Amino acid sequence: MDTATDMGTNMKLDRLFPAAHLAAMVAAYLCAQSIQAQQISGSVLSESSTATGSQPAFLGGNNMGSGDGRAFIITPRITLGETWSDNVRLNAGSTGSKESGFITELAPGVRVDARTARLKAYFDYSLRGQFYSTPSGYSRTQNQLNTFGTLEAVSNWLYVDFSGIIAQQAISAFGTQSPGSANINNNTTETSTYRLSPYIRGQVAGVAEYLLRYNYSTTHANASIASDVDLAEWVGQLRGSTPFQSLRWALDASQQTAEYSYGRKTDSDRFTASATYIVVPQFRVTFSGGQEANNYASVDKESHTTHGYGFDWNPTERTQISAFRDKRFFGDGHRYTVNQRFPLSSISYSDTKDVSILPNQFTSVGMGTVFDLFKQICRQQLASQLPDPIQLDIAANNCASVLSAASGVSASTPVTSSFLSSRATIQRRQQLALAVQGVRNTLTIMFNRNESDSILASDSIQDDFYRNSVNSIKQRGVSISLAHQLSGLTTANLTASRQESTGTGTTALKATTTLYQGGISTKLGPKTTGSLNVRHSKFDSSTNPYTENAVIGMLSVLF
């Protein structure tokens, strides 16, 4: 098997003896005991935001923020990792030929927080080089990116939103699922999505507000069997008040075009008029009606009328409840959200049913990746302590980075499992996140359930639906993470997760992934942290089941 296919960049590397790898792994965790971190001139990262081994509390308040008013906070870093796995090449599991070996990782990276009068942005990027003892001489690189921001190009009129994500993505929901990014797996590919969205907003004669936005995104997968997706969309909105103080109106229109490299082009137009009545300041109801036309389920566009209703209820500053249900061309669609913040905990729930164009982590807002989820939790907890939105955003970014590091889960890991598709689908996505903070403990529980149904008129597209002869794919999972502060410098963490994918149609498929991981992370210096984790994973399927055990050591230094 050519292990380099769609895996990254091949380079020659002399075979290292296991003893040398073991020494490197132990050194990655212990050698920094002798490192004396220096205060480098020009460093702009506060100590509280570097201590991934310190208390992972999202109640850190001002300690989590950057209150010095600097416009740019730039934090370079370098991470060294050593992993021993008894199953490096996961796809060999069905043959019974498990191969053990060592994986050395070197990952330089940089994080930038920008907060100027015109630019609000977050940027986090790392380039991960991976070197393998098995197979001999094999190596590759992986990119990780999470960035988003807004530029105010013309004061109070023209704005530009932008975002980018690079992550490792499962190609098939039923293929081999990876316990981490280091294992060799031909069902995983690097996928990138970039979005640019300029828009203008203002007022018309002081009686109405307008917004005109253009969205463009491009998604590319390295695997040759996966489809690229280009998405272009125009969105317009007018909204205003009426002589009745409690009654407001809005007009919304959109036109969207999606082009797949391996699928057919789809077009969608939609127009909606809505009225909102404010019953009391904390409660409002909305009714809508309109028309939509698309060719998702037919070769030519078909028109359908739509209508819906919903409410928004904010009984307290800690509680937000929103619900909307509408009649669509595919049946009933909806979006429900509940956010509740308690003094030492928070809970977030969302349930949506709509047309989906891209994989989950590229369309989810607020809960797409582990970083997004933790940031949402942090914002809820810190909102009452940091009323300034800029300070709150910086503090939430810092808090999310600390929590993801303490949990032992990569910040770019998708919260919801997904797969690559070359068609529009009807997707129902449910997510529940609970975070509980104690004096020394942080407990995070995440549930997810996703159901994707194919709606295209043509069924000859090479994706999961066609290759597996299914018309519906369901995925559900749970993840539980507990971080316990052993001391002011050291945190222990435990993580358990289970994910199940099932397919129904001409054939019935099922694949289940179970993972257990535990370890410790500690602050070895003002800017140096180390961690040591053990992992056990099991993948059950009819085609390529496997088990894997691993030991992972990491050393990270900030500059």
Side-chain angles (χ1 to χ4, degrees), residues 300-544:
D300 300 317
K301 277 187 179 181
E302 293 183 346
S303 297
H304 305 266
T305 58
T306 66
H307 55 85
Y309 56 91
F311 69 88
D312 293 283
W313 184 32
N314 301 322
T316 70
E317 65 175 10
R318 294 176 176 267
T319 307
Q320 295 88 38
I321 302 173
S322 177
F324 193 84
R325 184 180 181 90
D326 57 352
K327 186 71 174 179
R328 300 289 303 281
F329 73 95
F330 56 82
D332 291 329
H334 63 255
R335 57 181 183 270
Y336 310 133
T337 61
V338 177
N339 293 297
Q340 176 64 55
R341 176 165 50 90
F342 301 100
L344 296 177
S345 63
S346 66
I347 185 169
S348 300
Y349 173 76
S350 69
D351 182 349
T352 62
K353 184 178 181 180
D354 204 346
V355 177
S356 178
I357 304 295
L358 299 175
N360 287 342
Q361 71 266 39
F362 302 128
T363 58
S364 302
V365 177
M367 293 181 70
T369 65
V370 167
F371 178 89
D372 297 328
L373 171 64
F374 282 142
K375 181 176 179 179
Q376 184 185 73
I377 294 172
C378 291
R379 287 184 67 91
Q380 293 174 11
Q381 290 296 325
L382 297 172
S384 61
Q385 303 177 40
L386 298 172
D388 182 82
I390 295 177
Q391 290 186 355
L392 175 61
D393 202 48
I394 295 175
N397 287 339
N398 290 338
C399 170
S401 298
V402 171
L403 279 177
S404 60
S407 69
V409 181
S410 171
S412 61
T413 301
V415 171
T416 58
S417 180
S418 187
F419 55 94
L420 297 181
S421 176
S422 299
R423 66 184 72 198
T425 61
I426 301 301
Q427 185 176 94
R428 183 178 182 185
R429 182 166 59 241
Q430 297 169 285
Q431 298 171 331
L432 174 65
L434 171 67
V436 181
Q437 172 69 35
V439 177
R440 290 182 173 270
N441 301 306
T442 299
L443 175 66
T444 305
I445 304 175
M446 296 177 282
F447 297 91
N448 70 80
R449 183 181 183 275
N450 306 292
E451 181 175 356
S452 299
D453 298 318
S454 173
I455 59 172
L456 283 187
S458 172
D459 200 32
S460 59
I461 301 172
Q462 293 294 326
D463 60 7
D464 241 8
F465 294 98
Y466 179 77
R467 289 193 299 267
N468 296 297
S469 300
V470 297
N471 51 38
S472 179
I473 298 175
K474 298 179 181 179
Q475 297 178 291
R476 59 181 182 179
V478 58
S479 175
I480 302 174
S481 178
L482 174 64
H484 174 70
Q485 187 177 353
L486 298 173
S487 68
L489 301 177
T490 303
T491 300
N493 62 81
L494 294 172
T495 299
S497 67
R498 181 179 175 87
Q499 189 79 32
E500 179 183 277
S501 298
T502 58
T504 56
T506 306
T507 60
L509 298 174
K510 182 178 180 180
T512 304
T513 306
T514 306
L515 182 145
Y516 303 98
Q517 180 170 306
I520 59 172
S521 60
T522 186
K523 184 178 178 183
L524 303 170
K527 298 184 179 182
T528 305
T529 60
S531 65
L532 185 64
N533 288 273
V534 295
R535 178 181 71 207
H536 171 75
S537 59
K538 182 179 181 181
F539 178 67
D540 291 317
S541 77
S542 59
T543 56
N544 188 35

Side-chain angles (χ1 to χ4, degrees), residues 21-22 24-26 28-29 79-86 101-105 128 179-183 408 493 515-521 530-537 548-555:
H21 280 279
L22 180 61
M25 182 170 60
V26 175
Y29 180 65
T79 301
L80 172 66
E82 190 70 24
T83 299
W84 175 84
S85 171
D86 68 352
F102 287 85
I103 308 166
T104 302
E105 297 184 276
R128 187 179 299 272
S181 61
N183 299 82
N493 62 81
L515 182 145
Y516 303 98
Q517 180 170 306
I520 59 172
S521 60
S531 65
L532 185 64
N533 288 273
V534 295
R535 178 181 71 207
H536 171 75
S537 59
E548 188 245 14
N549 300 286
V551 182
I552 308 107
M554 290 285 177
L555 175 69

Side-chain angles (χ1 to χ4, degrees), residues 35-48 50 70 523 525-528 557-559:
I35 295 177
Q36 297 297 321
Q38 302 296 320
Q39 298 296 329
I40 300 175
S41 177
S43 176
V44 290
L45 184 69
S46 62
E47 180 177 328
S48 62
T50 69
R70 282 173 287 193
K523 184 178 178 183
K527 298 184 179 182
T528 305
V557 181
L558 303 174
F559 299 97

Side-chain angles (χ1 to χ4, degrees), residues 191-209:
T191 307
S192 59
T193 289
Y194 303 100
R195 174 177 172 265
L196 189 65
S197 180
Y199 65 96
I200 58 174
R201 68 182 186 186
Q203 292 189 341
V204 180
V207 298
E209 298 177 349

Side-chain angles (χ1 to χ4, degrees), residues 54-335:
S54 63
Q55 182 179 359
F58 44 74
L59 297 179
N62 294 330
N63 292 333
M64 298 298 300
S66 178
D68 54 13
R70 282 173 287 193
F72 290 91
I73 304 174
I74 303 173
T75 313
R77 68 178 181 272
I78 188 166
T79 301
L80 172 66
E82 190 70 24
T83 299
W84 175 84
S85 171
D86 68 352
N87 193 355
V88 175
R89 195 174 352 198
L90 300 176
N91 305 104
S94 59
T95 65
S97 56
K98 290 173 61 174
E99 294 180 291
S100 62
F102 287 85
I103 308 166
T104 302
E105 297 184 276
L106 184 64
V110 64
R111 172 181 155 185
V112 180
D113 279 287
R115 291 295 181 271
T116 70
R118 294 292 184 92
L119 177 64
K120 309 294 185 293
Y122 176 88
F123 177 91
D124 192 293
Y125 172 78
S126 65
L127 176 63
R128 187 179 299 272
Q130 298 173 326
F131 310 92
Y132 295 78
S133 68
T134 304
S136 177
Y138 175 65
S139 62
R140 65 183 181 182
T141 59
Q142 291 180 346
N143 296 279
Q144 290 185 340
L145 172 68
N146 183 23
T147 184
F148 49 85
T150 299
L151 172 67
E152 186 176 1
V154 178
S155 181
N156 294 322
W157 188 68
L158 174 60
Y159 301 83
V160 180
D161 289 344
F162 57 89
S163 64
I165 296 177
I166 303 178
Q168 305 305 306
Q169 167 73 48
I171 299 173
S172 169
F174 307 105
T176 304
Q177 305 296 307
S178 294
S181 61
N183 299 82
I184 298 173
N185 180 6
N186 61 19
N187 187 49
T188 300
T189 185
E190 186 170 283
T191 307
S192 59
T193 289
Y194 303 100
R195 174 177 172 265
L196 189 65
S197 180
Y199 65 96
I200 58 174
R201 68 182 186 186
Q203 292 189 341
V204 180
V207 298
E209 298 177 349
Y210 68 86
L211 181 144
L212 180 63
R213 179 189 290 269
Y214 177 73
N215 293 317
Y216 177 78
S217 70
T218 180
T219 298
H220 171 74
N222 286 355
S224 59
I225 64 173
S227 180
D228 298 337
V229 186
D230 291 327
L231 186 65
E233 180 182 39
W234 284 98
V235 177
Q237 182 184 75
L238 277 175
R239 61 182 182 181
S241 58
T242 69
F244 303 96
Q245 185 177 3
S246 298
L247 183 63
R248 298 176 181 177
W249 59 270
L251 301 175
D252 294 270
S254 65
Q255 189 281 323
Q256 182 188 87
T257 299
E259 296 188 72
Y260 298 86
S261 59
Y262 292 155
R264 68 181 180 89
K265 176 181 176 182
T266 61
D267 295 290
S268 173
D269 305 322
R270 191 174 182 189
F271 174 79
T272 304
S274 61
T276 299
Y277 184 76
I278 304 173
V279 181
V280 294
Q282 297 82 16
F283 185 79
R284 63 185 65 191
V285 293
T286 299
F287 298 91
S288 71
Q291 190 166 1
E292 63 180 336
N294 60 68
N295 62 346
Y296 293 139
S298 60
V299 176
D300 300 317
K301 277 187 179 181
E302 293 183 346
S303 297
H304 305 266
T305 58
T306 66
H307 55 85
Y309 56 91
F311 69 88
D312 293 283
W313 184 32
N314 301 322
T316 70
E317 65 175 10
R318 294 176 176 267
T319 307
Q320 295 88 38
I321 302 173
S322 177
F324 193 84
R325 184 180 181 90
D326 57 352
K327 186 71 174 179
R328 300 289 303 281
F329 73 95
F330 56 82
D332 291 329
H334 63 255
R335 57 181 183 270

